[in-house]
Amino acid sequence: MDPVIIVGAGPVGLTLALALARQQVPSVVLDEGPGKDEPRLARTVVLREDTAALMARLTGAPLDAAGVHWAGWRSMRRKQVTREITFDDADDPAPLHIAQHVLTGALRAALIGERLVKIVVDSRLDTVEQEPSGVTAHTRGPKGTWWRGSHLVGCDGPRSTVRKILDIRFPGRTAVERHAVAALRTELPWADEALLHRTPPWRTSGPSTGEVTGRPLPDGVWRLDWLLPPGKDLVTPELLVARVRETLAGWSNGSTPPYELLDTGVHTVHHRLARRWRVGRVFLAGDAAHLLGALGTQGLDEGLRDADNLAWKLSLAWHHGPHEGLLDSYQAERRAAVAARLRAADQALPLLRGGAGIRAYVPGAVRGHDVLLAEGHLGRGPLGAPGTYGASPLAPRHLEAEVPVDTPPGAPVEDVLVTAEDGTFVRLRDRLGRGALLVLLIAPGTGVWERRHWVSAGIMPRLAAAVTALPSPAELLVAESYPGAAAHTVLLIRPDGHLVTALNGVRAADLYAAAEAAVGGPAGTQEASSAGATAGSAAK
């Protein structure tokens, strides 16, 4: 079967290629550039804990050393500290702050020697043609040629050629916010702590008194962001240096500490959402499908979730034949999750920036603007929490044996210690991204015995037989405990780590029905979806 064509060799495109390769699906990555990235310390990303784990799992690289897991977070207003958070690895894990070129470099290094991935540099897409059996793409440039693929995924950024070829609208708002950005090496009073400082006392007049954010990077480097007033006023080097000096002096009791300015820029935030993320065999992901990120630098985090969501679905269709309902669910799940974050930001930002009461946004809430802003930066709350897929078309219906656990259906599962089929103890997340569903039995006491002593006892034989009979490949795992789950609870988990359902014991019929729903219904029997039926050809 033909490989998947991936247009764009940024972090999202490379992540998708690696995720597909881990599931034995070949791909061709069309890179418009020369195959290397310019180091830019003023261009960084914040990854939530589960997304950072995804990157570490795919790259095999020690990303903890390449970035910084913040030791804490502090919110300040004028001269007062209004909130402090200390992160705990177990109960309250910190996000990972890393330079984007470092993350991209780790992905590129992981792809060296990967036999299932071919990266073609200096290749700009100009034509896409579709028919029921596959996709044909043409590139121009020194290596211009025709490429044949099973599917095509546009990971080619906000000016996506794929999106334009498909004539997909990309509505939204331009320049929601602007930030002046500087990366510098200096020593601040808060080692490895990120902070948000609103209305700093050294800015006493004008619309630019708003806020400055500081985020640490390795080797004593900090990224500082200053919220700029509305408009298109030029940010001159002199203005930026003045901001750096007054901010460092304000944080250091009036005396500017030594610093080395490493990189600067202006970060303009746009909010846009593509009308469609799938047309036939062609998909959009990352900035080609959405632009967001008014708070923090987490737009890429959502793009990586796109890749993780799409990879296992393409893999199942590639290996096992048509799964139109499954492929349609990519748009249904991911577009809804990103749209919810955009709506929350569009509702909150006028209040947060304009000074209106927070109760107009969250009726009855007692927390203030600073708390809501901090949660947005930390990937929590209505402005920052990752989306769940509880309303997914893949959610099973009417399961008599379904029971609640602390993870709601559609949400990412907790990373508990499990026993694998070979008897080894591993983290649950280590078994994700392999293209198989996971069936997790909660069996207290099994951790103190070798697997051979309990694998043929109790309910295990019946559960193993039920797993073998499932309509899609699945792996059986066992855990001592899971938050909110009673003994003998059986959890069904998707390859991307989202919970399908939890069942009260071994209920083979319910388990089968849930697994069948999770992969979009019976393979090969589905009619083409409205998105899948929209095939044909288009040329720029």
Side-chain angles (χ1 to χ4, degrees):
M1 192 170 176
D2 295 319
V4 174
I5 300 172
I6 300 171
V7 182
V12 175
L14 298 177
T15 294
L16 179 59
L18 267 176
L20 289 172
R22 297 294 186 267
Q23 297 170 67
Q24 302 303 307
V25 177
S27 63
V28 173
V29 181
L30 303 179
D31 186 353
E32 183 178 335
K36 54 186 177 182
D37 301 277
E38 176 188 3
R40 289 292 310 275
L41 288 173
R43 191 178 186 187
T44 64
V45 297
V46 177
L47 303 180
R48 301 181 186 93
E49 184 244 354
D50 58 334
T51 319
L54 167 67
M55 293 293 95
R57 186 168 68 247
L58 289 177
T59 64
L63 294 182
D64 289 354
V68 168
H69 284 283
W70 300 334
W73 169 275
R74 64 178 56 214
S75 297
M76 301 175 65
R77 178 179 287 275
R78 300 189 185 279
K79 297 181 179 181
Q80 299 297 318
V81 176
T82 59
R83 191 184 191 199
E84 288 187 273
I85 297 173
T86 300
F87 294 112
D88 178 87
D89 290 341
D91 299 325
D92 192 10
L96 175 68
H97 187 214
I98 186 171
Q100 183 166 316
H101 73 270
V102 173
L103 178 62
T104 306
L107 290 164
R108 289 189 183 277
L111 285 166
I112 295 175
E114 176 53 69
R115 62 180 181 83
L116 291 176
V117 180
K118 180 177 182 178
I119 300 179
V120 187
V121 300
D122 299 320
S123 297
R124 180 177 177 81
L125 182 77
D126 60 11
T127 303
V128 175
E129 297 179 354
Q130 295 195 62
E131 57 271 349
S133 60
V135 181
T136 304
H138 184 266
T139 55
R140 64 174 183 263
K143 299 181 181 180
T145 187
W146 289 93
W147 300 92
R148 181 67 180 174
S150 63
H151 301 83
L152 184 145
V153 186
C155 305
D156 49 344
R159 296 181 176 86
S160 170
T161 300
V162 175
R163 191 184 64 242
K164 293 174 183 176
I165 287 175
L166 297 177
D167 195 26
I168 295 175
R169 294 183 59 201
F170 198 38
R173 297 199 295 148
T174 299
V176 175
E177 290 184 350
R178 286 197 315 151
H179 297 259
V181 183
L184 49 93
R185 182 175 286 110
T186 190
E187 185 174 340
L188 292 180
W190 313 285
D192 291 339
E193 287 188 11
L195 71 149
L196 169 67
H197 197 163
R198 306 196 76 200
T199 321
W202 58 86
R203 304 292 299 176
T204 58
S205 64
S208 57
T209 59
E211 63 190 53
V212 56
T213 307
R215 305 179 183 92
L217 286 164
D219 302 322
V221 176
W222 288 79
R223 170 174 167 166
L224 304 185
D225 291 58
W226 295 267
L227 179 65
L228 295 171
K232 299 182 179 180
D233 294 343
L234 183 65
V235 180
T236 64
E238 294 77 14
L239 173 64
L240 194 51
V241 169
R243 289 289 177 90
V244 169
R245 293 183 63 84
E246 70 178 8
T247 300
L248 295 184
W251 286 342
S252 303
N253 298 319
S255 178
T256 302
Y259 70 92
E260 178 186 3
L261 190 60
L262 303 173
D263 192 17
T264 63
V266 175
H267 173 51
T268 302
V269 176
H270 308 291
H271 280 179
R272 295 190 177 276
L273 187 66
R275 292 289 190 192
R276 305 180 70 182
W277 291 27
R278 180 189 182 195
V279 177
R281 291 177 173 266
V282 181
F283 301 81
L284 299 177
D287 286 352
H290 52 77
L291 294 175
L292 72 164
L295 302 174
T297 50
Q298 296 168 337
L300 178 58
D301 186 276
E302 292 291 357
L304 299 177
R305 291 176 189 274
D306 295 344
D308 194 31
N309 185 288
L310 183 57
W312 73 273
K313 297 172 181 179
L314 283 176
S315 171
L316 199 62
W318 197 90
H319 285 295
H320 302 288
H323 277 75
E324 293 302 326
L326 181 65
L327 295 179
D328 273 349
S329 72
Y330 165 68
Q331 172 176 306
E333 291 179 345
R334 291 301 306 145
R335 191 178 187 277
V338 174
R341 286 196 65 189
L342 286 172
R343 282 194 301 271
D346 286 342
Q347 291 170 353
L349 286 177
L351 302 173
L352 297 175
R353 304 308 188 202
I358 193 64
R359 288 175 177 80
Y361 175 59
V362 185
V366 296
R367 52 187 182 169
H369 292 192
D370 295 344
V371 173
L372 193 59
L373 277 173
E375 289 190 341
H377 282 287
L378 295 174
R380 304 173 177 178
L383 296 182
T388 62
Y389 309 139
S392 167
L394 304 181
R397 305 288 188 267
H398 311 302
L399 300 176
E400 293 183 1
E402 189 169 33
V403 293
V405 295
D406 285 359
T407 302
V413 293
E414 298 291 333
D415 187 26
V416 298
L417 188 67
V418 300
T419 305
E421 291 183 337
D422 61 1
T424 59
F425 293 99
V426 296
R427 305 302 303 184
L428 178 57
R429 283 185 183 149
D430 292 339
R431 313 308 293 181
L432 301 177
R434 299 168 179 241
L437 298 171
L438 301 180
V439 178
L440 177 62
L441 171 66
I442 310 306
T446 51
V448 301
W449 299 96
E450 291 186 21
R451 183 175 182 273
R452 60 188 177 90
H453 292 305
W454 48 259
V455 70
S456 59
I459 64 174
M460 279 297 295
R462 284 192 296 129
L463 181 57
V467 170
T468 302
L470 292 180
S472 182
E475 180 181 7
L476 177 57
L477 305 169
V478 178
E480 280 268 356
S481 63
Y482 186 89
H488 297 168
T489 300
V490 175
L491 279 64
L492 180 64
I493 303 165
R494 301 178 358 166
D496 60 355
H498 288 256
L499 180 66
V500 179
T501 189
L503 302 175
N504 180 20
V506 180
R507 306 296 181 94
D510 278 355
L511 186 62
Y512 188 97
E516 189 173 65
V519 297
T525 64
Q526 305 168 75
E527 297 180 359
S529 66
S530 57
T534 310
S537 64
K540 188 178 178 182

